[in-house]
Amino acid sequence: MIAPHACGSRRASRPPAAPERPRGLSDREWIEHLLAVNAQLREAMVPAIVVPAAWGLTPAQTRVLSALLARAPHLTTTEMLLVACEAPGSDELPQRAIVKVHVSRIRAALAEHVPCAVIENRKGHGYLIPIGPAASIKLAIARGLSAEPEWNNA
C-alpha cells in the first residue's frame, strides 16, 4: 500500500500491526478469539436490506444485492460477494461459482420488477450496478415494501 508522505512524495506504508495476544490465553483460546473477531468483521462487511417478498430472493441473494447496492456505482469484487453469500455463523466461504448463480437469479428478479436495472460483469473482477439503475432498484424496493401488508400496519 502506498501512502502520501508529509512532503508529498509517496512511500510504502506498513500493514496494520497484528493484535497482541493477551497474557494467559492458550493457543486454542487465542485462535477461537481470532475466529470470533473474524466472524464479526465479516458480518459487519455485508450491509443488510429488506426486499419485497414478491421478488422471491433467498437470504444469500438479498445479501449479494445489498452488497452491490452499497458499493454502487463502484465495483464489488467477487471476494466481497463471496463474503455476502456466506451463511451467518459459517466458517467457510462458498465456492466462487455460487456468485454467478446468485447474480443470475437477482437479474431475473430485477428483470421482472425493475426492468431498467442492470448488473454489469467485470470479467475476473466482480460486478457493479451503475448509479441510475441502483437508484431505480432502491426506489422499487421502497415501493414494493410499502405495498406489503406487514409494512403498512407498522
Side-chain angles (χ1 to χ4, degrees), residues 43-57:
E43 230 174 89
M45 286 174 50
V46 182
I49 62 169
V50 177
V51 297
W55 290 23
L57 296 179

Side-chain angles (χ1 to χ4, degrees), residues 104-124:
S104 174
R105 293 186 179 152
I106 293 167
R107 283 178 171 149
L110 292 176
E112 183 178 340
H113 300 283
V114 194
C116 67
V118 292
I119 299 176
E120 297 179 4
N121 181 5
R122 297 294 185 256
K123 192 166 178 88

Side-chain angles (χ1 to χ4, degrees), residues 6-23:
C7 299
S9 65
R10 297 173 81 74
R11 64 178 175 83
S13 65
R14 294 182 182 169
E20 277 198 42
R21 178 177 171 171
R23 293 183 189 264

